[in-house]
């Protein structure tokens, strides 16, 4: 079993395969995009597969593919199919904005992807455009329908933004009435890629929950699974469930079991750190399996206690504001 210096189990990797995206969600990146990484900066699929197989041997049991938007990277299904065949990997999953995903759903099911996180901040096409700056709402809904049709578990990620989509909280909760989906509301984090800062978080997890309670006073608490980042609830007689993720308030650090690898191969042992090890450079400089394994173990044994400590450790004490697309949400 892989553990860190605080005794927390590490068994979950989030791998961001690209920083590029076909949407411009305002909380994630500026409208004119990012200073995209060049192809040679990105980990190749071969390098990703090598790193993942080593990490699975070390104790990683679950891998989530994310980005940027995973489906804008060419031949992503090839990587997913290879990962799904890794012995020792219990779960392969992904997070997508759903714009290009619908045609791949049957293949995802076939290779054993049984759960997908679909980002959907609103059920209104105009508000979707205002948030994501692209007119792609219909395609996202098509992906949603396909996932349900192919019996793939759907978790909807909705970032709650003051003045942008708080009127969507109740309609999104409404989806859980007849559909077996988990709708998860996420506190907005500072990872917007353009440095705009907030004077304070207007909609923290408590306020989101209060809003839902006003409409559904009989909402009940579910037992959260051991490493869950979401506080989970259900409305009696609803098929689906509701989650609230305190991503800014950072209530879940005590049981954090996840590590991240960015598109350029930087290992992050906390969402809020600035990167602790460049795995790509090690590999390209000829590191052996043992060298890489030792470097990883060293990084895991110096993990920050929580996201506040990790953010403070950034050089120059700069607060975190890079795009979530370069981190892998
Ligand atoms: N493009 C894919 C998508 O949107 O699902 C995958 C990558 S995206 C960076 C992963 C998740 O991070 C999405 O659910 C998105 O809503 C969330 N996210 C991005 N920026 C965020 C921010 N500033 N605060 C909270 N969540 C954010
Ligand atoms: Fe793209 Fe996802 Fe970021 Fe939106 S949240 S801009 S879909 S990477």
């Amino acid at each position: 079993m892989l553990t860190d210096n605080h005794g927390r189990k590490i068994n979950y990797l989030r791998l961001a395969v690209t920083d590029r995206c076909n949407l411009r969600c305002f909380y994630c990146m500026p409208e004119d995009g990012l200073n995209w990484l060049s192809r040679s900066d990105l980990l190749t699929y071969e390098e990703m597969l090598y790193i993942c197989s080593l990490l699975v041997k070390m104790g990683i049991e679950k891998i989530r593919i994310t980005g940027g938007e995973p489906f804008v990277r060419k031949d992503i299904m090839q990587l997913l199919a290879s990962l799904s065949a890794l012995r020792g990997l219990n779960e392969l999953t992904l997070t997508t904005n759903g714009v290009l995903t619908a045609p791949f759903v049957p293949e995802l099911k076939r290779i054993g992807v049984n759960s997908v996180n679909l980002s959907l901040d609103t059920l209104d096409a105009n508000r979707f455009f205002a948030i994501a700056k692209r007119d792609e709402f219909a395609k996202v809904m098509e992906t949603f329908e396909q996932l349900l049709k192919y019996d793939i578990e759907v978790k909807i990620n909705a970032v709650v933004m003051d003045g942008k989509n708080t009127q969507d909280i109740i309609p999104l909760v409404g989806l859980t009435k007849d559909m077996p989906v988990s709708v998860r509301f996420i506190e907005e984090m500072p990872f917007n890629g353009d440095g705009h800062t907030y004077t304070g978080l207007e909609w923290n997890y408590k306020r989101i929950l209060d809003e839902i309670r006003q409409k559904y006073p009989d909402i009940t608490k579910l037992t959260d699974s051991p490493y869950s980042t979401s506080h989970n609830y259900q409305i009696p007689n609803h098929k689906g469930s509701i989650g609230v993720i305190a991503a800014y308030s950072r209530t879940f650090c005590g049981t954090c079991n996840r590590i991240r690898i960015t598109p350029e191969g930087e290992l992050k042992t906390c969402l809020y750190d600035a990167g602790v090890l460049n795995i790509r450079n090690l590999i390209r400089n000829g590191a052996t399996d043992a060298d890489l394994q030792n470097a990883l173990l060293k990084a895991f044994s110096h993990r920050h206690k929580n996201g506040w400590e990790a953010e403070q450790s950034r050089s120059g004490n700069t607060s975190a504001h890079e795009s979530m697309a370069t981190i892998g949400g």
Side-chain angles (χ1 to χ4, degrees):
M1 184 168 90
L2 209 48
T3 51
D4 71 9
N5 45 321
H6 302 284
R8 292 172 296 194
K9 185 175 181 179
I10 299 176
N11 63 352
Y12 178 12
L13 165 68
R14 291 181 165 220
L15 174 63
V17 295
T18 179
D19 57 336
R20 294 183 191 230
C21 190
N22 43 7
L23 296 183
R24 293 290 182 274
C25 306
F26 105 106
Y27 49 77
C28 178
M29 64 171 76
E31 194 164 350
D32 48 3
L34 301 170
N35 204 358
W36 307 119
L37 294 167
S38 67
R39 203 176 169 73
S40 59
D41 285 332
L42 296 176
L43 285 173
T44 63
Y45 285 159
E46 203 182 8
E47 287 167 338
M48 287 180 198
L49 198 56
Y50 166 63
I51 296 166
C52 288
S53 61
L54 192 75
L55 280 166
V56 168
K57 280 184 206 135
M58 290 171 72
I60 290 293
E61 297 168 309
K62 170 175 173 180
I63 297 178
R64 173 177 301 282
I65 297 301
T66 178
E69 172 50 36
F71 287 91
V72 303
R73 185 147 177 189
K74 199 166 165 254
D75 298 328
I76 186 66
M77 287 307 300
Q78 267 177 28
L79 175 74
L80 287 165
S82 308
L83 289 175
S84 73
L86 278 184
R87 289 223 349 238
L89 184 65
N90 295 339
E91 192 180 346
L92 176 65
T93 179
L94 56 103
T95 303
T96 175
N97 63 27
V99 173
L100 300 171
T101 320
F104 298 102
V105 169
E107 183 64 4
L108 288 173
K109 180 76 186 180
R110 201 189 62 74
I111 65 169
V113 173
N114 293 320
S115 172
V116 166
N117 284 17
L118 178 67
S119 300
L120 181 63
D121 303 318
T122 174
L123 293 175
D124 177 274
N126 292 327
R127 273 200 296 282
F128 181 96
F129 184 78
I131 293 166
K133 312 290 183 329
R134 300 287 187 271
D135 189 12
E136 301 285 16
F137 179 70
K139 288 207 191 120
V140 180
M141 294 310 281
E142 198 189 321
T143 292
F144 185 21
E145 279 166 27
Q146 279 290 93
L147 291 167
L148 291 173
K149 181 176 159 196
Y150 278 83
D151 205 19
I152 293 179
E153 182 191 15
V154 183
K155 292 183 183 165
I156 289 182
N157 285 355
V159 179
V160 178
M161 295 157 276
D162 191 45
K164 293 264 197 284
N165 70 340
T166 52
Q167 64 273 62
D168 285 292
I169 295 176
I170 298 303
L172 283 164
V173 168
L175 293 176
T176 67
K177 185 168 188 313
D178 298 317
M179 295 182 209
V181 294
S182 168
V183 176
R184 295 126 46 90
F185 297 100
I186 308 175
E187 287 179 351
E188 185 177 357
M189 293 181 282
F191 301 113
N192 49 53
D194 67 2
H196 73 256
T197 48
Y198 307 94
T199 46
L201 183 71
E202 294 288 336
W203 284 79
N204 68 8
Y205 69 105
K206 291 182 187 152
R207 187 170 173 194
I208 297 169
L209 206 52
D210 283 348
E211 176 81 4
I212 301 171
R213 263 209 192 98
Q214 277 195 18
K215 167 83 179 164
Y216 297 105
D218 52 354
I219 182 171
T220 54
K221 181 81 187 73
L222 298 175
T223 308
D224 300 329
S225 54
Y227 305 104
S228 174
T229 52
S230 52
H231 304 278
N232 298 295
Y233 298 84
Q234 191 164 37
I235 294 158
N237 302 318
H238 278 214
K239 279 194 181 152
S241 62
I242 296 151
V244 186
I245 303 182
Y248 181 81
S249 304
R250 293 163 237 189
T251 58
F252 42 67
C253 302
T255 56
C256 180
N257 64 339
R258 60 199 63 197
I259 54 172
R260 291 176 164 79
I261 296 178
T262 72
E264 46 188 343
E266 188 75 25
L267 173 73
K268 288 165 73 77
T269 54
C270 172
L271 175 57
Y272 284 86
D273 73 35
V276 296
L277 175 75
N278 193 290
I279 302 175
R280 178 201 64 197
N281 292 348
L282 276 180
I283 296 174
R284 292 185 190 174
N285 288 332
T288 62
D289 290 5
D291 294 337
L292 190 50
Q293 191 160 334
N294 287 337
L296 289 164
L297 288 173
K298 189 169 168 207
F300 300 154
S301 68
H302 288 82
R303 222 173 154 216
H304 290 291
K305 195 170 145 209
N306 57 44
W308 302 104
E309 193 184 285
E311 194 171 11
Q312 266 168 15
S313 76
R314 287 171 169 251
S315 64
N317 222 358
T318 49
S319 57
H321 58 71
E322 64 272 31
S323 166
M324 196 70 166
T326 63
I327 300 173

